[in-house]
Amino acid sequence: MASLTRVPENALRAFTAECYRALGLPATSADCLARTLVQADMWGHASHGVMRLFWYGRRLESGAMDGNVLPEIEESPGALGVIDGRDGVGQVVAEAAMMQAIRAAKAHGIGAVSVRNSGHFGTAMYFTRMAAASGCIGFISTNASPAMAPWGGREKRIGNNPFSWAAPAGRYPPMMVDMANTAVARGKLYVARSRGEPIPEGWAIDDRGRATVDPEVGISGTILPMAGHKGYALTFAMDVLSGVLSGGSFAPSVVGPYMPEGRSGAGHFVMAIDIEACRPLAAFEADMERLVETMRDTPKAPGVDRIFYPGEMEALSEEKTRREGIPLPEDVLHELRNEARRLSVEAPF
């Protein structure tokens, strides 16, 4: 297993933003990208963290992603709106869409935004947490570049098309669900490869349809859907909601962040529900606390020390990384140093 070095969050965030500014991003967009990537690492989602810094960077340099485009949003939106991302930075587009959805929810009780011509936006629950912090239930879905075969096939034709829900949970950290419809997010194969680790059986197959525990073979092959045909059905539905509804790209025509060239065409669907439009927020949060405690108090199976609710493990990871720093493998640090040097940016590690 590769050794890990812990880097303070503030230093890593400042370094990431400086790299993006050096690549020509406006400061606000550079800060947005840096926040989302470092937050993913703090939550323990290294697959969506700073290991992706220069994956996006290469798309900026090739012109596949236009860093200077800012989404046009409505200041007084109706309940349903549409945003054209115009090939901008996916995180910047998704953040603007969620802000508009929250404003719409406060005005109408529910707000939704259909997004087209965006890009890969990283960790989905970064954006749904925004809704939870505003007293809303948040939802976001996206389509993605081909990662899985239709159920029964062995050729990639559709993305893992993740989605996320989040809601405030009173005195507890917010409930957050963030999942791809593959057995695992593709980025986790890249993490396993960087750490020199095998992947579990059931994650991927090779290009001939045979099971593999080699992350490199899995990357070039096909990731399996979660729960068999159910995962395929869910990812199909998310493509309808994110890609077909928005009028953007869908299925094999979406280009992911792993490719330095080619317009992404990704679409998203973003929604916020104002809890106060249904019931008092304090009463909702009190019931959320009881729901959390009901789960925690369940009799435990043998060998289980603690039962978690969705989002709790990420909250604990965030606490730890804030104290101890973010663990990064040497090969990721090596790439960050080398690429930053090319931009005349000094790495703090």
Side-chain angles (χ1 to χ4, degrees), residues 184 188-207 209-224:
V184 65
K188 292 188 181 297
L189 274 69
Y190 285 90
V191 171
R193 185 179 68 176
S194 73
R195 294 180 176 178
E197 299 172 350
I199 58 174
E201 290 186 12
W203 277 19
I205 56 177
D206 65 17
D207 57 9
R210 301 173 302 185
T212 182
V213 296
D214 185 331
E216 185 69 44
V217 173
I219 290 167
S220 61
T222 300
I223 302 176
L224 292 168

Short mmCIF file of all heavy atoms in Angstrom, two decimals, residues 184 188-207 209-224:
data_model
loop_
_atom_site.label_atom_id
_atom_site.label_comp_id
_atom_site.label_asym_id
_atom_site.label_seq_id
_atom_site.Cartn_x
_atom_site.Cartn_y
_atom_site.Cartn_z
N VAL A 184 -19.77 0.96 -7.66
CA VAL A 184 -18.85 1.88 -6.99
C VAL A 184 -18.57 3.02 -7.97
O VAL A 184 -18.66 2.86 -9.19
CB VAL A 184 -17.55 1.15 -6.61
CG1 VAL A 184 -16.79 0.69 -7.84
CG2 VAL A 184 -16.67 2.00 -5.72
N LYS A 188 -13.09 5.55 -7.59
CA LYS A 188 -12.52 4.66 -6.58
C LYS A 188 -11.56 3.65 -7.23
O LYS A 188 -10.64 3.17 -6.57
CB LYS A 188 -13.62 3.95 -5.80
CG LYS A 188 -14.43 4.90 -4.91
CD LYS A 188 -15.39 4.17 -4.02
CE LYS A 188 -16.21 5.14 -3.17
NZ LYS A 188 -15.39 5.94 -2.25
N LEU A 189 -11.76 3.34 -8.49
CA LEU A 189 -10.80 2.48 -9.18
C LEU A 189 -9.48 3.22 -9.39
O LEU A 189 -8.40 2.63 -9.28
CB LEU A 189 -11.36 2.00 -10.52
CG LEU A 189 -12.24 0.74 -10.46
CD1 LEU A 189 -13.56 1.01 -9.75
CD2 LEU A 189 -12.51 0.18 -11.86
N TYR A 190 -9.57 4.51 -9.69
CA TYR A 190 -8.36 5.31 -9.84
C TYR A 190 -7.62 5.43 -8.50
O TYR A 190 -6.39 5.41 -8.45
CB TYR A 190 -8.70 6.71 -10.38
CG TYR A 190 -9.05 6.72 -11.85
CD1 TYR A 190 -10.36 6.54 -12.27
CD2 TYR A 190 -8.08 6.90 -12.82
CE1 TYR A 190 -10.70 6.54 -13.62
CE2 TYR A 190 -8.39 6.90 -14.17
CZ TYR A 190 -9.71 6.73 -14.57
OH TYR A 190 -10.03 6.73 -15.89
N VAL A 191 -8.39 5.57 -7.40
CA VAL A 191 -7.77 5.61 -6.07
C VAL A 191 -7.05 4.29 -5.78
O VAL A 191 -5.91 4.27 -5.32
CB VAL A 191 -8.82 5.90 -4.98
CG1 VAL A 191 -8.20 5.73 -3.59
CG2 VAL A 191 -9.36 7.31 -5.13
N ALA A 192 -7.72 3.16 -6.05
CA ALA A 192 -7.10 1.85 -5.82
C ALA A 192 -5.84 1.70 -6.65
O ALA A 192 -4.81 1.19 -6.17
CB ALA A 192 -8.09 0.74 -6.15
N ARG A 193 -5.88 2.15 -7.90
CA ARG A 193 -4.70 2.08 -8.75
C ARG A 193 -3.56 2.92 -8.19
O ARG A 193 -2.40 2.48 -8.15
CB ARG A 193 -5.04 2.54 -10.17
CG ARG A 193 -3.88 2.38 -11.15
CD ARG A 193 -4.25 2.83 -12.55
NE ARG A 193 -4.48 4.28 -12.63
CZ ARG A 193 -4.74 4.92 -13.75
NH1 ARG A 193 -4.87 4.26 -14.89
NH2 ARG A 193 -4.93 6.23 -13.74
N SER A 194 -3.88 4.13 -7.70
CA SER A 194 -2.84 5.01 -7.17
C SER A 194 -2.23 4.45 -5.89
O SER A 194 -1.07 4.73 -5.58
CB SER A 194 -3.40 6.40 -6.92
OG SER A 194 -4.25 6.42 -5.79
N ARG A 195 -3.01 3.65 -5.15
CA ARG A 195 -2.51 3.08 -3.89
C ARG A 195 -1.95 1.68 -4.07
O ARG A 195 -1.53 1.05 -3.10
CB ARG A 195 -3.64 3.07 -2.85
CG ARG A 195 -4.09 4.47 -2.45
CD ARG A 195 -5.21 4.45 -1.43
NE ARG A 195 -5.55 5.81 -1.00
CZ ARG A 195 -6.52 6.10 -0.15
NH1 ARG A 195 -7.26 5.13 0.37
NH2 ARG A 195 -6.76 7.35 0.19
N GLY A 196 -2.00 1.16 -5.28
CA GLY A 196 -1.49 -0.18 -5.54
C GLY A 196 -2.31 -1.26 -4.90
O GLY A 196 -1.79 -2.32 -4.51
N GLU A 197 -3.62 -1.04 -4.81
CA GLU A 197 -4.51 -1.99 -4.14
C GLU A 197 -5.43 -2.68 -5.14
O GLU A 197 -5.84 -2.07 -6.13
CB GLU A 197 -5.37 -1.26 -3.09
CG GLU A 197 -4.57 -0.58 -2.00
CD GLU A 197 -5.43 0.29 -1.10
OE1 GLU A 197 -6.62 0.51 -1.44
OE2 GLU A 197 -4.92 0.75 -0.08
N PRO A 198 -5.80 -3.94 -4.89
CA PRO A 198 -6.82 -4.58 -5.73
C PRO A 198 -8.19 -4.02 -5.41
O PRO A 198 -8.40 -3.41 -4.35
CB PRO A 198 -6.72 -6.05 -5.33
CG PRO A 198 -6.25 -6.01 -3.90
CD PRO A 198 -5.31 -4.83 -3.82
N ILE A 199 -9.14 -4.22 -6.30
CA ILE A 199 -10.52 -3.84 -6.04
C ILE A 199 -11.32 -5.09 -5.67
O ILE A 199 -10.96 -6.20 -6.05
CB ILE A 199 -11.16 -3.14 -7.26
CG1 ILE A 199 -11.11 -4.05 -8.51
CG2 ILE A 199 -10.47 -1.80 -7.53
CD1 ILE A 199 -11.85 -3.49 -9.71
N PRO A 200 -12.39 -4.94 -4.91
CA PRO A 200 -13.19 -6.11 -4.54
C PRO A 200 -13.87 -6.75 -5.74
O PRO A 200 -14.17 -6.06 -6.74
CB PRO A 200 -14.23 -5.53 -3.57
CG PRO A 200 -13.65 -4.24 -3.08
CD PRO A 200 -12.85 -3.71 -4.24
N GLU A 201 -14.14 -8.02 -5.65
CA GLU A 201 -14.93 -8.68 -6.68
C GLU A 201 -16.33 -8.07 -6.70
O GLU A 201 -16.86 -7.68 -5.67
CB GLU A 201 -15.02 -10.19 -6.38
CG GLU A 201 -13.71 -10.92 -6.58
CD GLU A 201 -13.87 -12.42 -6.42
OE1 GLU A 201 -15.04 -12.89 -6.39
OE2 GLU A 201 -12.86 -13.12 -6.33
N GLY A 202 -16.89 -7.98 -7.87
CA GLY A 202 -18.23 -7.41 -8.01
C GLY A 202 -18.23 -5.95 -8.38
O GLY A 202 -19.30 -5.37 -8.60
N TRP A 203 -17.03 -5.33 -8.47
CA TRP A 203 -16.95 -3.93 -8.87
C TRP A 203 -16.92 -3.77 -10.38
O TRP A 203 -17.51 -2.83 -10.90
CB TRP A 203 -15.71 -3.27 -8.26
CG TRP A 203 -15.88 -2.79 -6.86
CD1 TRP A 203 -16.83 -3.18 -5.96
CD2 TRP A 203 -15.05 -1.84 -6.19
NE1 TRP A 203 -16.65 -2.54 -4.76
CE2 TRP A 203 -15.57 -1.71 -4.87
CE3 TRP A 203 -13.93 -1.11 -6.55
CZ2 TRP A 203 -15.00 -0.84 -3.93
CZ3 TRP A 203 -13.36 -0.25 -5.62
CH2 TRP A 203 -13.87 -0.11 -4.32
N ALA A 204 -16.18 -4.63 -11.07
CA ALA A 204 -15.94 -4.40 -12.50
C ALA A 204 -15.71 -5.71 -13.25
O ALA A 204 -15.39 -6.74 -12.65
CB ALA A 204 -14.73 -3.47 -12.67
N ILE A 205 -15.86 -5.61 -14.57
CA ILE A 205 -15.53 -6.71 -15.47
C ILE A 205 -14.59 -6.19 -16.55
O ILE A 205 -14.51 -4.98 -16.80
CB ILE A 205 -16.80 -7.32 -16.12
CG1 ILE A 205 -17.61 -6.24 -16.86
CG2 ILE A 205 -17.65 -8.04 -15.10
CD1 ILE A 205 -18.82 -6.77 -17.60
N ASP A 206 -13.86 -7.10 -17.20
CA ASP A 206 -12.98 -6.68 -18.28
C ASP A 206 -13.77 -6.54 -19.58
O ASP A 206 -15.00 -6.72 -19.60
CB ASP A 206 -11.80 -7.64 -18.42
CG ASP A 206 -12.20 -9.05 -18.86
OD1 ASP A 206 -13.34 -9.23 -19.36
OD2 ASP A 206 -11.38 -9.97 -18.71
N ASP A 207 -13.08 -6.23 -20.67
CA ASP A 207 -13.78 -5.96 -21.92
C ASP A 207 -14.37 -7.22 -22.57
O ASP A 207 -15.05 -7.13 -23.59
CB ASP A 207 -12.88 -5.23 -22.91
CG ASP A 207 -11.59 -5.97 -23.20
OD1 ASP A 207 -11.46 -7.15 -22.78
OD2 ASP A 207 -10.71 -5.38 -23.84
N GLY A 209 -16.17 -9.28 -20.49
CA GLY A 209 -17.25 -9.62 -19.59
C GLY A 209 -16.86 -10.49 -18.42
O GLY A 209 -17.73 -11.01 -17.71
N ARG A 210 -15.54 -10.63 -18.14
CA ARG A 210 -15.06 -11.47 -17.04
C ARG A 210 -14.75 -10.61 -15.82
O ARG A 210 -14.24 -9.49 -15.93
CB ARG A 210 -13.81 -12.23 -17.47
CG ARG A 210 -14.02 -13.13 -18.68
CD ARG A 210 -12.71 -13.72 -19.17
NE ARG A 210 -11.74 -12.68 -19.51
CZ ARG A 210 -10.56 -12.90 -20.04
NH1 ARG A 210 -10.17 -14.15 -20.28
NH2 ARG A 210 -9.74 -11.89 -20.34
N ALA A 211 -15.06 -11.15 -14.63
CA ALA A 211 -14.82 -10.44 -13.39
C ALA A 211 -13.33 -10.15 -13.22
O ALA A 211 -12.48 -10.95 -13.64
CB ALA A 211 -15.33 -11.24 -12.21
N THR A 212 -12.99 -8.99 -12.58
CA THR A 212 -11.60 -8.63 -12.35
C THR A 212 -11.46 -7.95 -11.00
O THR A 212 -12.40 -7.33 -10.50
CB THR A 212 -11.08 -7.68 -13.45
OG1 THR A 212 -9.69 -7.40 -13.21
CG2 THR A 212 -11.85 -6.36 -13.46
N VAL A 213 -10.27 -8.11 -10.39
CA VAL A 213 -9.93 -7.37 -9.18
C VAL A 213 -8.78 -6.40 -9.46
O VAL A 213 -8.26 -5.78 -8.55
CB VAL A 213 -9.56 -8.32 -8.02
CG1 VAL A 213 -10.75 -9.18 -7.62
CG2 VAL A 213 -8.35 -9.19 -8.38
N ASP A 214 -8.40 -6.26 -10.71
CA ASP A 214 -7.34 -5.35 -11.13
C ASP A 214 -7.97 -4.01 -11.50
O ASP A 214 -8.74 -3.93 -12.45
CB ASP A 214 -6.60 -5.93 -12.34
CG ASP A 214 -5.40 -5.09 -12.76
OD1 ASP A 214 -5.42 -3.87 -12.54
OD2 ASP A 214 -4.46 -5.66 -13.35
N PRO A 215 -7.66 -2.91 -10.76
CA PRO A 215 -8.32 -1.64 -11.06
C PRO A 215 -8.02 -1.13 -12.47
O PRO A 215 -8.89 -0.52 -13.11
CB PRO A 215 -7.76 -0.68 -10.00
CG PRO A 215 -6.51 -1.32 -9.50
CD PRO A 215 -6.74 -2.79 -9.62
N GLU A 216 -6.81 -1.38 -12.98
CA GLU A 216 -6.47 -0.95 -14.33
C GLU A 216 -7.34 -1.65 -15.37
O GLU A 216 -7.85 -1.03 -16.32
CB GLU A 216 -5.00 -1.23 -14.62
CG GLU A 216 -4.51 -0.71 -15.97
CD GLU A 216 -4.48 0.81 -16.01
OE1 GLU A 216 -4.01 1.43 -15.04
OE2 GLU A 216 -4.94 1.37 -17.01
N VAL A 217 -7.55 -2.95 -15.18
CA VAL A 217 -8.41 -3.70 -16.09
C VAL A 217 -9.86 -3.22 -15.97
O VAL A 217 -10.58 -3.10 -16.97
CB VAL A 217 -8.31 -5.21 -15.79
CG1 VAL A 217 -9.33 -6.00 -16.61
CG2 VAL A 217 -6.90 -5.71 -16.07
N GLY A 218 -10.28 -2.92 -14.74
CA GLY A 218 -11.63 -2.43 -14.54
C GLY A 218 -11.87 -1.08 -15.19
O GLY A 218 -12.94 -0.81 -15.73
N ILE A 219 -10.84 -0.21 -15.14
CA ILE A 219 -10.96 1.12 -15.76
C ILE A 219 -11.14 0.99 -17.27
O ILE A 219 -11.97 1.68 -17.88
CB ILE A 219 -9.73 1.98 -15.42
CG1 ILE A 219 -9.76 2.37 -13.94
CG2 ILE A 219 -9.68 3.22 -16.31
CD1 ILE A 219 -8.46 2.97 -13.43
N SER A 220 -10.38 0.09 -17.88
CA SER A 220 -10.51 -0.09 -19.32
C SER A 220 -11.70 -0.96 -19.69
O SER A 220 -12.15 -0.96 -20.84
CB SER A 220 -9.22 -0.72 -19.89
OG SER A 220 -8.98 -1.98 -19.31
N GLY A 221 -12.23 -1.70 -18.72
CA GLY A 221 -13.40 -2.54 -18.96
C GLY A 221 -14.69 -1.82 -18.62
O GLY A 221 -14.91 -0.69 -19.06
N THR A 222 -15.51 -2.43 -17.78
CA THR A 222 -16.83 -1.89 -17.47
C THR A 222 -17.12 -2.05 -15.99
O THR A 222 -16.92 -3.13 -15.43
CB THR A 222 -17.92 -2.63 -18.26
OG1 THR A 222 -17.67 -2.46 -19.66
CG2 THR A 222 -19.30 -2.09 -17.95
N ILE A 223 -17.59 -0.98 -15.34
CA ILE A 223 -18.02 -1.07 -13.96
C ILE A 223 -19.43 -1.65 -13.92
O ILE A 223 -20.28 -1.30 -14.75
CB ILE A 223 -17.97 0.32 -13.29
CG1 ILE A 223 -16.55 0.89 -13.37
CG2 ILE A 223 -18.41 0.23 -11.83
CD1 ILE A 223 -16.43 2.29 -12.83
N LEU A 224 -19.68 -2.52 -12.97
CA LEU A 224 -20.98 -3.18 -12.88
C LEU A 224 -22.00 -2.28 -12.19
O LEU A 224 -21.64 -1.46 -11.34
CB LEU A 224 -20.84 -4.49 -12.09
CG LEU A 224 -20.03 -5.59 -12.80
CD1 LEU A 224 -19.70 -6.70 -11.84
CD2 LEU A 224 -20.81 -6.12 -14.01
#
